[in-house]
Amino acid sequence: MADLGSLSNGDAGAGSLEDDEDMPPQPVVEQDPAKRYSRYDTVLGRGAFKTVFKAFDEAEGIEVAWNQVKVNDLANSPSERERLFAEIRVLKQLKHKNIMTFYDSWLDQKNLTVNFITELFTSGTLRQ
């Protein structure tokens, strides 16, 4: 898979969260096509091609990481788009305790982004 860029904080979908219980509810700024995942405007990390936002899984009742990759020209190339999604399907099948859980993905043709949902780490870094 093409390098999606490293995140500025060194974490791929990870972020440190403060105690959210005292904070007011965040407004939802975007939802996936099935309306299962709701994205907030809170950025957890940013890289050259990818931005990771805090999100919520409505079905499981848990916070997740909403990874957004700008694809611009890729959205208009069926063969390149299929190649990207084939690689995402492989990632989705990986199941291991030391690998971040990959939940779902979709292409947003209106905004020319590929979005994928992963497990959210609420403390520490991947370097630990």
Side-chain angles (χ1 to χ4, degrees):
M1 178 177 227
D3 181 18
L4 299 178
S6 14
L7 295 171
S8 57
N9 67 359
D11 301 331
S16 296
L17 301 176
E18 300 297 320
D19 185 1
D20 291 330
E21 293 175 16
D22 297 331
M23 298 180 72
Q26 296 181 45
V28 171
V29 296
E30 186 176 1
Q31 285 190 304
D32 73 300
K35 307 281 191 250
R36 175 175 177 168
Y37 301 104
S38 299
R39 180 175 75 80
Y40 305 122
D41 212 19
T42 304
V43 175
L44 301 176
R46 190 180 308 268
F49 302 102
K50 179 173 80 168
T51 303
V52 182
F53 297 92
K54 184 176 176 182
F56 189 76
D57 180 341
E58 303 289 345
E60 296 293 325
I62 60 171
E63 290 183 328
V64 292
W66 178 304
N67 301 262
Q68 193 167 70
V69 181
K70 299 260 185 228
V71 293
N72 299 327
D73 298 332
L74 189 63
N76 296 324
S77 170
S79 63
E80 288 297 313
R81 184 173 56 235
E82 179 51 36
R83 181 173 164 233
L84 174 63
F85 277 106
E87 292 182 32
I88 288 173
R89 282 190 295 274
V90 168
L91 291 173
K92 195 172 182 179
Q93 292 174 2
L94 294 174
K95 306 287 185 214
H96 189 276
K97 67 178 183 160
N98 294 333
I99 298 176
M100 180 184 309
T101 304
F102 187 102
Y103 296 116
D104 200 4
S105 64
W106 66 96
L107 173 66
D108 181 342
Q109 290 186 309
K110 179 182 173 192
N111 295 313
L112 298 176
T113 59
V114 169
N115 299 283
F116 56 97
I117 305 298
T118 61
E119 179 178 9
L120 175 69
F121 294 101
T122 57
S123 63
T125 69
L126 294 178
R127 293 186 181 115
Q128 291 180 318

